[in-house]
Amino acid sequence: MISKSPHRPPTVQGARGAAYIALGCIFVGLGALGAALPVMPTTPFLLVASYFFIRSSPRLNDWLLRSPLFGPFLRDWHEHRGVRPRVKVTAVTVVVAAVAASVVWGGLSWLGLTILLTLAGIGLAVVVRLPVIRDDQRSPR
């Protein structure tokens, strides 16, 4: 696991540690919302949560990495700095479907439509640029 890595940053304690734990929990909550809402990202929030947990509570970071829902994405990012092809395809498909549904049935103004398409374009650009994990890079689980 990542918390056993010799490169783990030092753990902070006191008020700063408590703030890091609180921020980590907030970002896990935002990541959970992102898993349910197609217009909100999941992985960036979980990466930020992991950043705070690894510095404040390695136990919570291990919990996050063991999560059946979020763990595989985080482990892939921590171990390989990339995502699996099916994750990328799913992300692009969900964003395109959600934006298309919003355009067709959302009744958006021109300003709303412009903002939606701009944000979707930015999100898609980020997803498309993520490195892909090839089969020979995957570690056994």
Side-chain angles (χ1 to χ4, degrees), residues 59-74:
R59 183 180 58 82
L60 285 174
N61 190 60
D62 286 345
W63 165 79
L64 192 58
L65 291 171
R66 283 190 313 269
S67 163
L69 182 61
F70 303 134
F73 306 111
L74 288 171

Side-chain angles (χ1 to χ4, degrees), residues 56-108:
S56 59
S57 175
R59 183 180 58 82
L60 285 174
N61 190 60
D62 286 345
W63 165 79
L64 192 58
L65 291 171
R66 283 190 313 269
S67 163
L69 182 61
F70 303 134
F73 306 111
L74 288 171
R75 286 190 304 268
D76 283 344
W77 187 260
H78 284 301
E79 294 169 12
H80 306 291
R81 294 290 189 235
V83 296
R84 295 175 191 240
R86 100 181 138 72
V87 171
K88 191 180 270 198
V89 168
T90 301
V92 169
T93 303
V94 168
V95 169
V96 169
V99 169
S102 297
V103 169
V104 172
W105 295 298
L108 298 172

Side-chain angles (χ1 to χ4, degrees), residues 11-21 56:
T11 304
V12 296
Q13 297 179 359
R16 187 175 179 190
Y20 275 29
I21 289 172
S56 59

Side-chain angles (χ1 to χ4, degrees), residues 8 22 39 43 50 53 57 69 87 92 94 96 100 106 113 116 120 140:
R8 189 184 83 216
V39 295
T43 305
S50 184
F53 284 157
S57 175
L69 182 61
V87 171
V92 169
V94 168
V96 169
L113 186 62
L116 174 68

Side-chain angles (χ1 to χ4, degrees), residues 3 9 36 70 81 85 115 133:
S3 67
F70 303 134
R81 294 290 189 235
I115 291 170
I133 299 171

